[in-house]
Amino acid sequence: MEREAGWTADASTFGARLALIRQRMGWGNVKEAAMACGLPVETWRSWERDNREPHRLTAIGKQIAGATGCDYLWLVHGPDRGG
């Protein structure tokens, strides 16, 4: 029996990257993540669930990266980090 390749997380959208950050930080839900980053819960939820990007992407990205230690360029630009 041939084994399939393992799965990889899809980090192509801002919402997916937020979900990955939330999982990495051990936050069980959107409320914990938003509060830890000093952001409104419903706003975080719409970014993650509805795949919307913040109007002030660079400022929000810096805020989230500062609170979580994630790579700012990865968060804002995705896996290619703007390259």
Side-chain angles (χ1 to χ4, degrees):
M1 178 176 193
E2 191 173 320
R3 290 190 72 165
E4 292 184 34
W7 67 274
T8 59
D10 176 13
S12 64
T13 66
F14 183 75
R17 292 188 294 278
L18 286 181
L20 290 170
I21 289 169
R22 187 167 49 81
Q23 291 170 354
R24 173 68 185 253
M25 299 301 293
W27 296 322
N29 57 52
V30 169
K31 183 178 180 180
E32 287 181 69
M35 291 179 67
C37 292
L39 295 163
V41 175
E42 287 306 314
T43 302
W44 184 294
R45 185 172 284 120
S46 75
W47 294 333
E48 191 174 319
R49 181 190 61 209
D50 301 333
N51 199 32
R52 302 183 79 168
E53 285 192 5
H55 295 292
R56 298 176 15 250
L57 180 59
T58 55
I60 295 299
K62 287 179 184 177
Q63 186 171 342
I64 294 170
T68 64
C70 77
D71 183 271
Y72 166 78
L73 291 175
W74 171 82
L75 175 59
V76 172
H77 296 290
D80 67 358
R81 300 183 69 218

